[in-house]
Amino acid sequence: MSTNESLLAKSQAQTSNREREEEAAVVCVRGLIKRYSDGTAANRGIDLDVRCGEVVSILGPNGAGKTTFLRQLTTELKPTSGQIEIFGVDAVAEPQRAKRMMGITPQEAGVFETLTVREHFEFFGRFKALSKREARIAAFDIADELGLGAEINRRVGLLSGGQRRRILIGLALMGRPPLLVLDEPTTGLDPASRQSVWQVLRRVVAEGATIIFSTHYMEEAERLSDRIAIIEGGQLLAFDSLDKLFARLARSYRVSHSDPFDPLSEPFIRYFATFSEAQEYVARERLSEYALSRASLEDIYFTLTGERFKDGAEGESA
Ligand code: ADP
């Protein structure tokens, strides 16, 4: 082999090592089962790997087991059986070590009404082992990032629901943990606040973080995530990129129309394998008002779960 060839071979080997590193799973879940003490089987054998730098969203109907799944990842709940590894640490056996690598949104009840926004962030920063000075700087930075700069010295009890929600996200970001696990981070936020949260999450990913989040917003899953996990009945129905999920749909054209005699009723939705089949249906049914489009993530979700996705199921309260 010439010197050039051997250099090339060496650099190719280095590239594939790097690719392997990037591909390496930082969250590794195997056979996860959670049965609550009343017998409810909330997770029934979930296997899932998340790669470094990935954004993974978790979708599923209410009661599907999403929160149960995330609370086991964050070590708040102990699995009935199964394994969870976070950056190589056994999160079931060593929850404290695993937790140190995670930023999580605490339950809303974990916010202290009488503390100011700055005090919250500083307190959490100290908890994440930042120095007093670092915690103060981080508090101002994060408040600005989340559009809470003007509120920094206000008591949390005086803030709106949407502002409190952003504080919870800010707490997860303190100390820039390599993994963020967020349960419905933008539920209750108005569209502008949601956009500002997306911007922040995109930035932390660009800086190298990995994110797993559940959401009630289809658009959020489509826009933010590299892969989408759909959970129903405690099981993983699908876990793939949007493109690969689309490729699974045999009928990827949809026609929706309302009942002309009852325009306020739920629209009829029909799926077709080709555009011309969809057009033939429109002609045959003599539809004058209809929408013909490519299928969306919502349609994949419906095909898999049999349920229509209800965006923002808990409504807005910003
Ligand atoms: P999701 O987040 O997808 O709405 P959850 O994980 O909250 O679903 O709930 C999954 C199932 O477990 C539901 O049937 C729910 O009623 C049940 N469940 C959740 N928490 C508890 C609990 N602490 N004790 C008993 N059952 C629970």
Side-chain angles (χ1 to χ4, degrees):
M1 204 188 269
S2 74
T3 316
N4 277 350
E5 278 170 344
S6 80
L7 278 176
L8 187 63
K10 199 170 162 191
S11 100
Q12 277 167 348
Q14 278 168 352
T15 309
S16 68
N17 277 345
R18 206 174 316 128
E19 275 166 6
R20 259 198 299 278
E21 251 168 53
E22 281 166 10
E23 289 280 300
V26 293
V27 175
C28 189
V29 176
R30 290 287 173 274
L32 192 67
I33 292 178
K34 179 68 192 177
R35 193 170 297 113
Y36 286 108
S37 54
D38 66 356
T40 306
N43 284 176
R44 299 191 292 144
I46 294 178
D47 295 320
L48 177 138
D49 283 344
V50 179
R51 300 189 281 258
C52 190
E54 257 193 323
V55 180
V56 166
S57 56
I58 316 268
L59 297 177
N62 276 333
K66 304 179 295 293
T67 299
T68 301
F69 175 70
L70 293 180
R71 291 184 67 206
Q72 290 171 97
L73 285 190
T74 60
T75 76
E76 286 164 76
L77 273 183
K78 212 175 165 69
T80 304
S81 63
Q83 288 119 39
I84 303 173
E85 259 187 25
I86 310 272
F87 289 97
V89 173
D90 180 337
V92 183
E94 295 188 88
Q96 289 308 326
R97 256 185 88 203
K99 212 166 172 175
R100 252 177 260 142
M101 287 172 279
M102 277 184 259
I104 65 175
T105 41
Q107 299 293 313
E108 190 120 358
V111 174
F112 303 102
E113 306 278 312
T114 53
L115 292 186
T116 65
V117 174
R118 178 176 60 76
E119 285 164 345
H120 264 93
F121 288 153
E122 285 181 355
F123 177 73
F124 256 70
R126 299 288 283 148
F127 183 67
K128 292 276 179 113
L130 299 185
S131 72
K132 219 168 167 179
R133 190 169 169 275
E134 285 168 338
R136 172 158 288 221
I137 293 170
F140 278 91
D141 284 352
I142 286 176
D144 275 344
E145 279 175 0
L146 290 165
L148 291 167
E151 270 71 43
I152 194 144
N153 287 316
R154 290 190 79 195
R155 273 200 244 135
V156 169
L158 301 172
L159 301 182
S160 72
Q163 287 168 328
R164 292 159 75 104
R165 194 95 200 160
R166 277 180 280 158
I167 293 173
L168 298 181
I169 294 166
L171 296 178
L173 295 172
M174 285 308 282
R176 292 290 190 238
L179 173 66
L180 293 176
V181 182
L182 310 172
D183 195 2
E184 294 183 23
T186 63
T187 294
L189 293 188
D190 59 71
S193 309
R194 194 172 305 140
Q195 295 272 357
S196 75
V197 170
W198 291 355
Q199 241 170 15
V200 172
L201 296 183
R202 283 203 187 98
R203 235 223 356 270
V204 298
V205 171
E207 289 166 9
T210 303
I211 303 182
I212 304 174
F213 72 103
S214 63
T215 182
H216 269 299
Y217 300 101
M218 200 57 87
E219 185 197 3
E220 183 159 279
E222 280 179 327
R223 288 209 183 186
L224 284 186
S225 34
D226 298 302
R227 284 194 291 168
I228 296 166
I230 299 178
I231 295 185
E232 197 205 19
Q235 286 178 315
L236 198 58
L237 296 185
F239 181 38
D240 237 324
S241 66
L242 200 53
D243 285 347
K244 289 199 176 136
L245 288 175
F246 277 132
R248 287 183 182 203
L249 275 185
R251 295 159 182 259
S252 61
Y253 290 88
R254 93 198 297 261
V255 173
S256 69
H257 61 93
S258 54
D259 179 348
F261 300 108
D262 185 8
L264 295 179
S265 63
E266 288 278 304
F268 289 109
I269 298 175
R270 298 274 184 284
Y271 296 99
F272 302 90
T274 64
F275 184 65
S276 56
E277 274 179 30
Q279 281 181 311
E280 279 162 27
Y281 172 78
V282 168
R284 199 169 53 243
E285 296 293 317
R286 300 181 187 196
L287 299 178
S288 54
E289 281 190 32
Y290 61 91
L292 195 171
S293 58
R294 288 305 294 259
S296 64
L297 178 58
E298 211 275 323
D299 298 300
I300 294 168
Y301 181 88
F302 174 67
T303 307
L304 288 168
T305 66
E307 284 194 31
R308 287 283 162 208
F309 194 82
K310 294 190 180 60
D311 252 2
E314 288 179 28
E316 301 272 328
S317 67

